[in-house]
Amino acid sequence: MGLLQKHLGQLEAYSGIRRAGADPFQVAFDAVLSPTEGLINGKRVILLGTNNYLGLTFDQESVEASVEAVRRWGTGTTGSRIANGSYGAHTQLEQSLASFYGRKHAMVFTTGYQANLGVLSALVGRGDHLILDADSHASIYDGARLGHAEVIRFRHNDPEDLYKRLRRLEGQPGDRLIVVEGIYSMMGDVAPLREMVEVKKETGAYLLVDEAHSMGVLGEKGRGLAEAAGVEEDVDFIVGTFSKSLGAIGGFCVSDADDFDILRVVSRPYMFTASLPPAVVASTLKSLEKVEADGALRAQLMANAERLHAGLNALGFTTGPKASPIVAVVMPDLPTALSMWNGLLAGGVYLNLALPPATPNNRPLLRSSVSAAHTPEQIDEVLAIFEWVGREFGVLPSLDQRAAG
Ligand code: PMP
């Protein structure tokens, strides 16, 4: 028996998924033509499954900054910042992030995943409590494991449940850190942050907000949910990523916490991995300037989100209740989800198939996400393809059934 046979259950499920059509977990692009179009197996598809919320991956100035940096500084740093040194641009990016958020400190990680791992594992450890929304991203759960704090989960987006669980800890030693996300990556819903801040204040806990999907998307200046909800002063730590609205890769944490820089020598996912390559830092710096300066991109993004959300609901699909750049279409079961996903791809729409247990309430989802770069015509084309495929696979009533009804 081979080492991988212990995953037999998953292997069987995965084979079933592969038998149903294209492999949703191994999609390969022949080309990416723009932030909203790509080629898969020679077929042009609309990209509706990225996190490219502002469409900045092909921003001319960001691309140029990246090209110049790679020529000047080379392709990679080949090591971690504590062992092999920082480049000026790493520090510059940290200064820009601190200034963007109006915070004293910022620290950059090589991915957003590592930012959560590095920050959570260093802020709380044995004897402390980490209070997590049940629908937290895997990087938050993994950060919890790395730090050995005791994990308590509260019901998704439920401040009352959060309060109840914190009250039960009264009198126990150790620190408590609440972690919530600005926009949740599967359903696109937003945390009730003001209410959570009230709970935090009443119970003396610290609060960390992961703004991975909300940075560049929410708030007048694009700082995320804490800005939009007017509670930035009450959020102790903000974590985010460069891989979504900033169109690159990397993660960060900003804070006003005293002695913040100690993180650099206690956070293993910062210390024991190579730092961001110069080209990535350069494009991120440029894109951050755009996020700060260009509120029009955010307005366009929200208009596109509303168009897609309203259109899907008008057709009769089940989505989350509110428009958001992430619009998840709930599927009744796995076979239908697979058929729909394959049908959409064949029809010219690429989006994400999200399966339990990564999805809330164990329902399969077709996770779509819009970009400021989509045109209204592209969204309308997506809706037309959704309608056709939905009728084909019985998620929507067929036109004959409708006429009969
Ligand atoms: N936090 C959240 C909420 C996320 O959704 C993700 C990625 N989807 C991450 C962190 C990790 O970010 P990255 O992909 O940039 O490593």
Side-chain angles (χ1 to χ4, degrees), residues 51 111-114 116 137 139-140 181 183 185 210 212-213 239-244 249-251:
N51 298 303
T111 66
Y113 177 85
Q114 283 160 312
N116 269 333
H137 187 258
S139 56
I140 295 173
E181 295 174 32
I183 295 180
S185 57
D210 178 343
H213 292 272
V239 167
T241 169
F242 308 145
S243 70
K244 307 190 191 303
I249 190 165

Side-chain angles (χ1 to χ4, degrees), residues 4 11 18 23 90 189 205 228 251 280 351 368:
L4 292 170
L11 275 174
R18 290 211 286 201
D23 183 342
H90 291 126
D189 50 338
V280 167
L351 48 63
S368 47

Side-chain angles (χ1 to χ4, degrees), residues 86-152:
S86 293
Y87 290 10
H90 291 126
T91 317
Q92 198 187 336
L93 180 54
E94 285 172 344
Q95 282 163 358
S96 296
L97 282 162
S99 135
F100 176 63
Y101 279 98
R103 300 273 179 161
K104 288 189 199 146
H105 312 286
M107 186 167 155
V108 163
F109 293 79
T110 306
T111 66
Y113 177 85
Q114 283 160 312
N116 269 333
L117 246 57
V119 172
L120 295 179
S121 61
L123 291 179
V124 279
R126 273 199 182 85
D128 298 325
H129 286 92
L130 199 45
I131 326 289
L132 306 184
D133 186 291
D135 286 358
S136 289
H137 187 258
S139 56
I140 295 173
Y141 280 110
D142 293 355
R145 280 202 215 172
L146 192 63
H148 305 291
E150 189 169 329
V151 173
I152 295 178

Side-chain angles (χ1 to χ4, degrees), residues 320-334:
K322 281 201 187 138
S324 156
I326 299 167
V327 184
V329 182
V330 181
M331 291 289 104
D333 50 54
L334 178 60

